[in-house]
Amino acid sequence: MPAPSSHSASERPGRIMSGEMAEQPAVLRRILERGAPRIRETAAAIAARAPRFVLLTARGTSDNAALYAKYLLEIQLGLPCGLTSMSTTTAYGAKPDLRDVLVITVSQSGGSPDLVASTRAAREAGAVTLAVTNNPDSPLAAVSEFHIDVLAGPEKALPATKTYTASLLALYLFVEGLRGGDGATAAKALPDLAAQVLDRQDEVRQLASRYRFAERMVITSRGYGYPTAKEAALKLMETSYIPALSYSGADLLHGPLAMVDNISPVIAVVTDGKGGTALQPVLDRLRGRGADLVVIGPAAQVAKASAGFVLPTDGLPEELQPIVEILPLQLLAYEVTIARGQDPDAPRALAKVTETR
């Protein structure tokens, strides 16, 4: 990755984000080797409590990881899930009955006051509380009954990258543990697949040239790929400042499709599985409107688009593909930002720990 001549290597724009993206294969391997046994133990202890419902609490990137967990829990376990509205307790003082409810709070830092307050209130209301963080010494971990450390190591870049994929894998292993499975066996290929994708940064740099002057973007998917679409949009907005709108493919057809034309860039995240099959009518409509359609997914789908990035997901279960899908989109956010002359390490108006209440 060539550095601008006006910067030393230590000052190169995006140096921190680039380095942390590159750590992801090692982080995934660390979770599988060191974290998986502890996650299984935590899952077994919670499964013994037989929760009847799950509430997921998070903000920002962690909210997209929580949405991924929602798909896992509903599809793999048949447990009804909801995404919490923290203000109902932190601002309005509501006191719901949460007996026999599992409340999972996902947070990279574990430091946001509203996450801590809502988790404390949930525990007081009778919930089984689980914190999933990158900081076992955080206030959130302290107020939760159970904790899972995603083992990503210190994350210094403002755009979260390695903590997102680490959270996905930790949540996958947890859900597998709830149903008595191992999970690590199916996921063992992930570190090598992640390394393969990250080694193809030149391909992503070519894609990035399409979006250097984009005024807006649309990102769509269905099923397990939908959290990926939301996280990709967030990464693009917080680094390059391009308004990136994320939609479920089904929701895109209910009105927003009208804004798509032959100059509108659209990225479709196509999982190799039922979610990708459900997205096909949306892809047909987008092609019919002449959209500049880029596909992140299987080779057969990329071949029918304007451009794309082929994912090495042959034989990888659909529920694990989001961990690989997001990687080229992280790289894309980075490359678009660099191409626009901005620094992805220093998004304006953002702080690493966002203290909402």
Side-chain angles (χ1 to χ4, degrees):
M1 186 184 305
S5 58
S6 59
H7 294 84
S8 69
S10 62
E11 299 172 331
R12 186 178 70 237
R15 172 185 59 87
I16 302 173
M17 182 181 178
S18 177
E20 290 180 348
M21 286 190 292
E23 290 178 33
Q24 289 176 103
V27 170
L28 297 173
R29 187 168 286 109
R30 186 184 309 140
I31 295 168
L32 291 171
E33 293 175 355
R34 287 176 39 198
R38 296 177 187 173
I39 294 172
R40 280 198 302 273
E41 290 175 8
T42 300
I46 291 175
R49 305 275 283 275
R52 59 183 171 82
F53 191 88
V54 181
L55 286 174
L56 294 141
T57 306
R59 298 281 193 203
T61 285
S62 294
D63 200 31
N64 298 326
L67 180 59
Y68 167 74
K70 184 176 188 292
Y71 276 91
L72 283 173
L73 288 158
E74 291 182 343
I75 295 170
Q76 303 297 326
L77 297 179
L79 273 176
C81 299
L83 300 176
T84 60
S85 301
M86 279 172 278
S87 61
T88 60
T89 54
T90 60
Y92 291 92
K95 297 186 181 300
D97 179 358
L98 298 180
R99 288 171 295 179
D100 302 322
V101 174
L102 170 61
V103 172
I104 302 174
T105 306
V106 186
S107 171
Q108 182 272 132
S109 68
S112 186
D114 59 349
L115 294 171
V116 175
S118 64
T119 301
R120 182 186 294 111
R123 190 169 181 181
E124 291 171 353
V128 179
T129 53
L130 167 67
V132 179
T133 82
N134 193 39
N135 183 1
D137 298 318
S138 64
L140 179 60
V143 301
S144 300
E145 184 177 357
F146 296 95
H147 177 256
I148 289 174
D149 184 353
V150 303
L151 299 173
E155 187 170 60
K156 298 178 181 179
L158 284 173
T161 54
K162 64 180 182 176
T163 53
Y164 178 70
T165 49
S167 296
L168 296 191
L169 180 53
L171 287 163
Y172 167 80
L173 293 172
F174 171 70
V175 173
E176 284 296 297
L178 284 179
R179 64 177 188 166
D182 174 85
T185 300
K188 66 181 180 181
L190 283 173
D192 289 340
L193 292 175
Q196 290 174 31
V197 171
L198 292 168
D199 283 345
R200 294 162 58 193
Q201 188 160 355
D202 286 348
E203 291 181 47
V204 178
R205 189 173 295 121
Q206 292 176 8
L207 278 180
S209 64
R210 306 173 76 89
Y211 306 117
R212 182 176 181 182
F213 301 107
E215 295 183 2
R216 71 162 185 255
M217 296 171 62
V218 173
I219 307 177
T220 188
S221 189
R222 289 204 68 179
Y224 286 113
Y226 181 42
T228 306
K230 290 176 67 66
E231 173 62 11
L234 177 60
K235 283 292 154 286
L236 283 158
M237 287 189 287
E238 68 184 356
T239 56
S240 70
Y241 318 140
I242 297 173
L245 309 173
S246 58
Y247 295 100
S248 156
D251 287 333
L252 185 63
L253 295 183
H254 284 268
L257 185 68
M259 71 178 172
V260 176
D261 54 30
N262 59 6
I263 60 171
S264 300
V266 179
I267 297 175
V269 180
V270 185
T271 57
D272 188 4
K274 294 180 179 178
T277 300
L279 191 63
Q280 291 310 305
V282 183
L283 300 178
D284 293 340
R285 292 284 296 277
L286 288 167
R287 282 189 288 263
R289 293 188 65 81
D292 178 14
L293 178 62
V294 168
V295 165
I296 309 297
Q301 296 295 335
V302 172
K304 294 186 284 186
S306 304
F309 186 98
V310 176
L311 290 172
T313 54
D314 287 350
L316 188 66
E318 183 178 359
E319 58 268 24
L320 283 170
Q321 291 177 33
I323 300 172
V324 177
E325 289 169 349
I326 191 58
L327 300 176
L329 293 162
Q330 291 174 347
L331 292 172
L332 182 66
Y334 172 89
E335 292 292 349
V336 169
T337 304
I338 295 294
R340 289 165 70 96
Q342 294 150 199
D343 185 356
D345 284 344
R348 62 194 181 206
L350 295 183
K352 187 62 182 169
V353 179
T354 303
E355 295 193 350
T356 48
R357 296 184 184 275

